[in-house]
Amino acid sequence: VANNSFGKHFRITTWGESHGKAIGVVVDGCPARLELSEADINEELKRRAPGANAWVSPRKEEDRAEILSGLFEGETTGAPISIIIPNTNQDSSKYEPIKELYRPGHANYTYLKKYGIFDYRGGGRASARETACRVAAGAIAKKLLATQNIHVVAYLKGVGDMSVDMDMSVDLSDLPSVLKARNSSPLFCPDVLTENEIIRRVDRAKSEGDSLGGVVECITAGLPVGLGDPVYEKIEANLAKAMMSLPASKGVEFGCGFAAAAMRGSEHNDAFGVNGLLSNRSGGILGGITTGELLSLRVAFKPTSSIKKQQQTTDLQGNIREFTLPKGSRHDPCVAIRAVVVVEAMAALVLADAFLAAQLQPILQNACASYATSVPSL
Ligand SMILES: Cc1cc2nc3c(=O)[nH]c(=O)nc-3n(C[C@H](O)[C@H](O)[C@H](O)COP(=O)(O)O)c2cc1C
């Protein structure tokens, strides 16, 4: 299964499966002399880990990252940073009764058709366990961005059919407050009223043996004007790919997003004032390049595929069968909750990559200019 790398200048390669010995990530391209510790990474992993409360999977994954390379006396050396996270809480026996069945909403159907082999004990590379590696790498990207005063914060905006256009009581331009409120919420939701509504809905879906989808919003403050390129490296193109590479993500939008389609130009355009844009319906991006305003995006996550309700499926030979999750199966009632941390990590990875690309631009531009003046014109 190829294509396990992401990014150009800040490049990550993840490896491992949910029921193997360990998972891990190699981060290549991180500049030298960035202060970094295992604690920085483990703090982020702890936020992603399941088992924290009644609204996420009860699996207990004691995610503890170990940095194997690329670090000397608490600073990055510029060499590849290799991180390993041992798998400590696999329970393969749960999968035994369903190993001959296609799992509705899961990847074992397409994997088996494509590769002819699938480790039935979990999701293999499709398992959301892989996202722990992204979070570990994202922790480094976040530290790099913080040196430039760039901060990324994601939070849960809503679940089920809640309107995501409802304003929250938090002031999004005050990122430290958003972060504080988000971090004190078990559902990563910075607004108490919205959080209560989410809890009510998730509890209800859970008690009915069902699951819910949800929307994660992510904002980034402190971006300079000029990250991203105008065509294939548009910042929203790379962010969209990052978000759509997440398990269970089904849609992404920037700024006003899909609502922009129902607006007129006179409603949607951001007017310019002497100090920049007067509004931010474009979500901080024009022509694929950051405007210097808050960058905002949303990701829609489908309802968790694993549900207690009975469903129809077939066995590997194509015979109709009933699909019931084995007793004691552990899963997230709404994957969007834990996806918050992963969305934040992916946004940080894309922006760190774009930041490093932007550093190269003036160097190359100057080199071209001095070459042009040194070559006599014909
Ligand atoms: C953080 C996170 C946790 C997830 N936990 C579960 C889970 O407990 N049960 C489940 O069925 N799917 C879970 N998923 C989603 C599945 O991994 C995903 O839906 C499945 O692999 C099929 O891939 P697809 O939805 O991208 O098509 C989770 C996704 C994320 C991002």
Side-chain angles (χ1 to χ4, degrees):
V1 191
N3 302 317
N4 294 289
S5 301
F6 182 78
K8 281 192 173 160
H9 306 281
F10 194 98
R11 186 170 174 78
I12 67 162
T13 302
T14 68
W15 56 267
E17 294 89 18
S18 56
H19 284 67
K21 282 189 177 168
I23 53 171
V25 58
V26 178
V27 179
D28 209 356
C30 181
R33 308 230 46 196
L34 177 73
E35 272 185 29
L36 184 68
S37 69
E38 284 175 357
D40 292 327
I41 293 166
N42 286 327
E43 204 178 302
E44 294 289 317
L45 285 177
K46 204 169 157 196
R47 290 202 290 128
R48 192 213 74 99
N53 57 56
W55 304 287
V56 298
S57 166
R59 282 189 307 273
K60 285 257 179 286
E61 288 167 7
E62 282 267 323
D63 283 338
R64 287 215 154 267
E66 195 183 337
I67 300 177
L68 302 179
S69 67
L71 211 61
F72 180 65
E73 293 182 341
E75 288 184 340
T76 57
T77 60
I81 303 166
S82 191
I83 298 170
I84 185 168
I85 309 167
N87 287 329
T88 54
N89 192 239
Q90 310 98 307
D91 183 358
S92 308
S93 64
K94 295 275 181 307
Y95 292 89
E96 197 66 34
I98 52 170
K99 70 180 191 187
E100 293 292 318
L101 301 179
Y102 290 124
R103 300 172 62 197
H106 278 277
N108 74 337
Y109 175 76
T110 43
Y111 268 49
L112 270 167
K113 294 281 180 203
K114 185 175 167 84
Y115 301 108
I117 180 165
F118 188 78
D119 181 347
Y120 66 85
R121 300 167 304 167
R125 286 294 287 163
S127 165
R129 179 105 190 95
E130 187 269 346
T131 62
C133 302
R134 304 177 191 229
V135 170
I140 304 175
K142 280 171 73 175
K143 284 214 86 174
L144 179 64
L145 293 172
T147 65
Q148 305 302 308
N149 228 354
I150 299 170
H151 299 281
V152 189
V153 179
Y155 46 87
L156 188 61
K157 182 77 183 166
V159 299
D161 59 3
M162 281 169 69
S163 165
V164 285
D165 290 322
M166 244 163 40
D167 278 338
M168 290 183 158
S169 61
V170 284
D171 173 8
L172 294 184
S173 61
D174 178 7
L175 222 58
S177 301
V178 180
L179 191 62
K180 198 166 162 224
R182 192 281 309 266
N183 285 348
S184 60
S185 158
L187 300 173
F188 305 118
C189 176
D191 180 71
V192 176
L193 287 180
T194 311
E195 185 187 65
N196 287 341
E197 184 60 30
I198 292 172
I199 288 175
R200 212 174 55 77
R201 285 165 185 252
V202 175
D203 280 346
R204 188 157 154 213
K206 240 180 106 174
S207 69
E208 291 167 359
D210 221 329
S211 62
L212 281 184
V215 172
V216 175
E217 191 162 76
C218 180
I219 50 176
T220 304
L223 287 169
V225 183
L227 297 194
D229 287 341
V231 187
Y232 298 114
E233 294 295 323
K234 282 186 164 182
I235 203 84
E236 70 261 68
N238 288 337
L239 284 166
K241 177 160 186 182
M243 301 308 159
M244 295 311 295
S245 75
L246 292 174
S249 65
K250 283 293 167 192
V252 60
E253 59 179 11
F254 297 87
C256 289
F258 274 64
M263 291 178 171
R264 294 188 166 206
S266 54
E267 290 173 286
H268 185 262
N269 287 349
D270 296 312
F272 292 100
V274 273
N275 293 319
L277 282 78
L278 298 180
S279 55
N280 189 19
R281 284 182 281 271
S282 60
I285 307 164
L286 282 174
I289 300 171
T290 53
T291 60
E293 305 293 327
L294 276 188
L295 192 154
S296 66
L297 65 90
R298 286 175 183 168
V299 189
F301 287 90
K302 72 180 191 184
T304 315
S305 304
S306 300
I307 51 173
K308 288 199 174 137
K309 288 193 164 167
Q310 208 172 69
Q311 300 165 88
Q312 180 182 309
T313 189
T314 71
D315 60 22
L316 305 189
Q317 289 71 44
N319 304 305
I320 297 284
R321 298 275 299 272
E322 269 172 7
F323 185 88
T324 321
L325 271 185
K327 262 203 158 41
S329 295
R330 301 167 297 175
H331 60 268
D332 288 284
C334 173
V335 305
I337 299 170
R338 286 176 54 228
V340 165
V341 184
V342 194
V343 165
E344 192 171 286
M346 288 312 285
L349 288 169
V350 171
L351 294 169
D353 196 41
F355 170 73
L356 293 183
Q359 301 307 298
L360 290 174
Q361 183 76 25
I363 297 169
L364 296 174
Q365 221 161 295
N366 286 342
C368 290
S370 52
Y371 177 75
T373 50
S374 68
V375 177
S377 53
L378 294 173

